[in-house]
Amino acid sequence: MELAIRTRRLTKRFRHHLALSELNLDVPTGMVFGYLGPNGAGKTTTIRLLAGLIRPTSGSAIVFGFDAADQYDALQRRIGYLPGDFAPYPDLTAAQYLRYFANLRGGVESAGVDRLAKRFELDVTVKIGTLSHGNRQKIGIIQAFMHEPDLLILDEPTAGLDPIMQREFLALLRETRDAGRTVFLSSHILAEVEAVADTVGILRRGELVTTQSVEALKAQARRRLELTFATTPPMDRIRQVPGVQDISSDGCTAHVVLTGSTAELVKAVAPYEVTNLVSHEADLESVFLDYYAAPR
Ligand SMILES: Nc1ncnc2c1ncn2[C@@H]1O[C@H](COP(=O)(O)OP(=O)(O)OP(=O)(O)O)[C@@H](O)[C@H]1O
Ligand SMILES: [Mg+2]
């Protein structure tokens, strides 16, 4: 398994403030890794360390085998980076800005830039200073992707994008992953992470609280189901099903709160006549919020 990112005891201290503490993280190539955590948790700090923009106080950040802090030049072409506070020069047009950075980096096909601009419906002919926040963010996305880097390091990339553009952007991330490239993104939008990430890392006060597949997180999530039976619900039978947390009935309908798979429940009620089954979305948000809030 080739690693795109490997950090060992990666630590960053700003004066007396410990922004990131002994982070150990392995991100294999070909995946979307979602990096979550409350404000001030240290996400941007991690991202800037990975992009080689700041030096660790101690520990190491290795990207494709290179030290991010010391071998910046070797990595620059292989990384696409979108800062959280992306602010391109207001006096240039987007076309001028993108051409400038394309030339600086080299290896950028202008057809690819045009394709991205069209995809995100960006008018590249007007001055950046006159563009809306979301449209400026599109320039940041294009400059991160335009040289087809092996690793994208993106700090809250969808900030300011409207829902249609967000969806387009998530599609771009999936295509990138399917092409075997790697995406590391920080986000506050849980639905977006759930939709696109393979694995998530949750950071809290500079410490990694957990890394898990999105599937495993979903398995922890509580899900509400309503099962309507032809006669009185078999409450005792349902109560015995693994993962059932709570159960109540009203008439012929049983209301069930369940964690994990619904397979066992479905099996348990198979002998009874179920006339209707409603399954509500797993409440992933509460799982995230538990990790955000409680020390474990
Ligand atoms: N240059 C700096 N000087 C001093 N403190 C800093 C600096 N950069 C970050 N910090 C502190 O480090 C901590 C982590 O900040 P960071 O920006 O990494 O958080 P974040 O997870 O990206 O938060 P957000 O979700 O708000 O973007 C914060 O307490 C912040 O105040
Ligand atoms: Mg941040």
Side-chain angles (χ1 to χ4, degrees):
M1 180 180 70
E2 196 197 342
L3 291 179
I5 296 170
R6 178 186 163 95
T7 72
R8 285 297 174 269
R9 305 186 71 173
L10 183 64
T11 300
K12 183 67 187 180
R13 196 179 278 281
F14 295 107
R15 290 168 185 256
H16 299 297
H17 183 76
L18 189 56
L20 187 67
S21 173
E22 309 228 335
L23 176 73
N24 294 315
L25 199 61
D26 287 342
V27 180
T29 55
M31 75 149 59
V32 177
F33 187 94
Y35 202 44
L36 302 168
N39 293 130
K43 301 179 297 297
T44 297
T45 301
T46 307
I47 280 181
R48 298 185 75 212
L49 287 162
L50 293 175
L53 298 173
I54 53 174
R55 296 193 67 85
T57 307
S58 60
S60 59
I62 308 295
V63 177
F64 296 124
F66 295 99
D67 189 301
D70 293 330
Q71 293 167 295
Y72 181 81
D73 290 343
L75 284 170
Q76 220 201 350
R77 276 208 38 78
R78 298 190 69 184
I79 293 180
Y81 167 60
L82 174 61
D85 54 355
F86 178 73
Y89 311 120
D91 293 335
L92 299 181
T93 65
Q96 288 169 331
Y97 178 91
L98 290 168
R99 199 174 315 127
Y100 175 79
F101 281 96
N103 290 338
L104 206 66
R105 266 186 213 142
V108 179
E109 283 185 39
S110 63
V113 177
D114 295 345
R115 218 172 19 247
L116 282 166
K118 193 169 263 174
R119 181 169 185 174
F120 288 102
E121 298 173 8
L122 174 68
D123 181 353
V124 297
T125 65
V126 301
K127 282 216 172 126
I128 290 168
T130 68
L131 289 174
S132 69
H133 175 53
N135 282 319
R136 273 180 230 188
Q137 186 72 358
K138 294 175 188 175
I139 302 174
I141 291 169
I142 295 170
Q143 65 78 33
F145 280 81
M146 67 182 176
H147 53 302
E148 305 207 327
D150 297 319
L151 172 64
L152 288 129
I153 302 177
L154 311 170
D155 200 354
E156 299 191 36
T158 56
L161 297 187
D162 68 42
I164 294 170
M165 289 301 137
Q166 282 186 17
R167 200 169 57 183
E168 199 57 48
F169 178 74
L170 296 185
L172 177 64
L173 293 189
R174 288 193 201 97
E175 290 161 29
T176 302
R177 185 250 330 268
D178 293 346
R181 293 151 66 200
T182 311
V183 178
F184 185 94
L185 91 150
S186 78
S187 177
H188 282 291
I189 305 169
L190 305 178
E192 139 183 324
V193 172
E194 182 188 353
V196 78
D198 302 292
T199 302
V200 300
I202 299 177
L203 198 68
R204 207 177 65 90
R205 293 193 193 156
E207 290 186 17
L208 191 66
V209 191
T210 183
T211 44
Q212 286 187 51
S213 70
V214 170
E215 256 166 54
L217 276 173
K218 277 186 184 161
Q220 292 172 38
R222 289 151 71 94
R223 178 190 289 275
R224 284 190 309 114
L225 294 124
E226 285 150 33
L227 298 115
T228 305
F229 294 83
T231 56
T232 314
M235 301 297 276
D236 289 339
R237 181 68 196 88
I238 295 173
R239 202 169 279 122
Q240 291 162 10
V241 172
V244 168
Q245 310 280 313
D246 191 31
I247 173 170
S248 61
S249 68
D250 97 54
C252 292
T253 300
H255 300 267
V256 182
V257 177
L258 177 88
T259 54
S261 157
T262 52
E264 287 297 322
L265 179 64
V266 170
K267 225 183 285 172
V269 298
Y272 305 89
E273 193 183 341
V274 178
T275 58
N276 193 28
L277 190 154
V278 180
S279 171
H280 297 277
E281 268 296 288
D283 184 11
L284 203 55
E285 188 163 309
S286 66
V287 177
F288 283 122
L289 294 180
D290 279 351
Y291 279 111
Y292 278 27
R296 288 180 184 234

